[in-house]
């Protein structure tokens, strides 16, 4: 009898932030099915995260990534599983509004959760990955950060900053075996898009060359590839999954 080939991410430990629902859930499922042991992070979606962790043999860990101690808690949970090979910074929020009416608190909340938390997660994860001399970090950015979007000055700024930070970290960490890449979704069917104005979403269908909203799994496939050794010569890149919207 021939043995079935090992899954591509067997023996890898991964953290996926914001994995209880939406794109993060699809990414955790995809990595788990590829053999990784996944820390399924959640902030409020406890039940969904516990169910997902049970399904993929991972561990659900509560942490608000925008808090100072969130990153340490998640990295410690990964180390308890034997290391940290893959970090996916997926947790993100929007607080949309036109600039003239945008409160400082809406600006700051988006910067704290999307940018500062991603920086802290990268810093905490890199400390472990440097010891291993191996690791893949994937940060979720957005088409808004590439092209800008009316009503999303805070969100677009946070995502463009994550992309610039990722290119810098890619240069800092390349010689130590750590890759850092970004995945920039266009419009994907999750609660985040559900919360958007219907008219805006319908209008956007006319300008997406593929004329449809994407599915979370379509983002997860690229994340799985970037996490794997198949992507070993790819670092510092930002790849869009957007049905052609960014063309
Ligand atoms: P979503 O459906 O709104 O879900 C947001 C996720 O982020 C939830 O799992 C939530 O966790 C988590 N989260 C928020 N604040 C958190 C915090 N402080 N600590 C820990 N987790 C936190 O979002 P999504 O559409 O799946 O988006 C996922 C990522 O893709 C985000 O970075 C987003 O900016 C990016 N993106 C999405 C789209 C899109 O079209 N959907 C497009 C471009 C980029 P809890 O539920 O546990 O609180």
């Amino acid at each position: 009898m021939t043995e079935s080939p090992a899954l591509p991410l067997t023996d890898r430990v991964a953290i996926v932030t914001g994995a209880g629902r939406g794109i993060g859930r699809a990414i955790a499922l995809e990595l788990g099915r590829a053999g990784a042991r996944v820390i399924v992070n959640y902030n409020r979606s406890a039940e969904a995260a516990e169910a997902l962790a049970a399904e993929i043999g991972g561990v659900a860990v509560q942490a608000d990534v925008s808090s100072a101690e969130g990153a340490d808690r998640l990295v410690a949970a990964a180390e308890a599983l034997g290391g940290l090979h893959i970090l996916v910074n997926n947790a993100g929020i929007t607080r949309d509004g036109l600039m003239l009416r945008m409160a400082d608190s809406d600006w700051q909340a988006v910067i704290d959760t999307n940018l500062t938390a991603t920086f802290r997660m990268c810093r905490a994860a890199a400390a472990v990955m440097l010891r291993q001399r191996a690791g893949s970090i994937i940060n979720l950015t957005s088409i808004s950060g590439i092209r800008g979007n009316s009503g999303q000055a805070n969100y677009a700024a946070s995502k463009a900053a994550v992309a610039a930070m990722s290119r810098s970290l890619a240069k800092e960490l390349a010689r130590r075996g750590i890759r850092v890449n970004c995945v920039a979704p266009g419009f994907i069917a999750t609660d985040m898009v559900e919360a958007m104005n219907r008219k805006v979403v319908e209008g956007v269908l006319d300008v997406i060359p593929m004329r449809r909203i994407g599915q979370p799994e379509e983002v997860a496939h690229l994340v799985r590839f970037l996490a794997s050794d198949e992507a070993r010569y790819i670092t510092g890149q930002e790849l869009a999954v957007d049905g052609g919207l960014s063309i």
Side-chain angles (χ1 to χ4, degrees):
M1 205 174 82
T2 52
E3 272 184 47
S4 52
L7 292 166
L9 301 180
T10 299
D11 296 333
R12 310 284 166 92
V13 179
I15 294 174
V16 182
T17 66
R21 59 194 171 94
I23 293 171
R25 179 179 198 282
I27 292 170
L29 255 179
E30 185 74 21
L31 299 184
R33 285 176 182 157
R37 300 198 63 195
V38 185
I39 302 291
V40 178
N41 163 245
Y42 65 93
N43 188 25
R44 299 203 181 105
S45 303
E47 223 171 284
E50 297 283 359
L52 176 62
E55 184 180 339
I56 60 175
V59 181
V61 178
Q62 197 284 333
D64 174 350
V65 293
S66 71
S67 71
E69 65 282 353
D72 292 338
R73 190 177 322 155
L74 289 172
V75 171
E79 284 194 282
L81 295 183
L84 176 56
H85 309 91
I86 300 159
L87 167 64
V88 183
N89 284 304
N90 163 83
I93 60 167
T94 50
R95 293 279 186 278
D96 294 355
L98 295 174
M99 179 184 67
L100 288 179
R101 282 189 296 232
M102 186 177 284
D104 283 2
S105 56
D106 289 334
W107 171 268
Q108 202 56 51
V110 169
I111 297 295
D112 288 350
T113 303
N114 297 2
L115 176 59
T116 310
T118 298
F119 167 72
R120 287 197 185 119
M121 285 299 307
C122 289
R123 187 175 55 186
V128 181
M129 291 175 173
L130 283 167
R131 286 202 295 276
Q132 297 168 174
R133 298 192 77 81
S136 176
I137 298 175
I138 297 127
N139 295 327
L140 272 285
T141 55
S142 170
I143 183 83
S144 289
I146 298 170
R147 302 196 56 182
N149 196 18
S150 172
Q152 289 198 317
N154 50 358
Y155 182 77
S158 73
K159 294 297 190 177
V162 167
M165 180 190 77
S166 302
R167 287 189 289 273
S168 300
L169 298 186
K171 286 185 171 177
E172 272 185 42
L173 300 171
R175 277 192 302 166
R176 318 287 282 275
I178 302 168
R179 297 180 294 105
V180 187
N181 291 289
C182 294
V183 169
F187 284 79
I188 307 295
T190 69
D191 296 342
M192 190 175 275
V193 163
E194 197 57 41
M196 289 176 78
N197 184 306
R198 274 302 90 199
K199 278 212 176 101
V200 173
V201 177
E202 280 161 23
V204 107
L205 286 176
D206 293 337
V207 293
I208 299 174
M210 288 188 186
R211 296 286 188 275
R212 68 173 178 87
I213 301 284
Q215 294 302 314
E217 300 70 37
E218 293 172 320
V219 179
H221 292 154
L222 176 59
V223 173
R224 192 239 304 128
F225 168 71
L226 288 171
S228 77
D229 292 342
E230 287 173 288
R232 62 186 167 265
Y233 201 52
I234 302 174
T235 197
Q237 302 305 303
E238 182 175 26
L239 296 165
V241 181
D242 65 356
L245 183 57
S246 55
I247 300 169

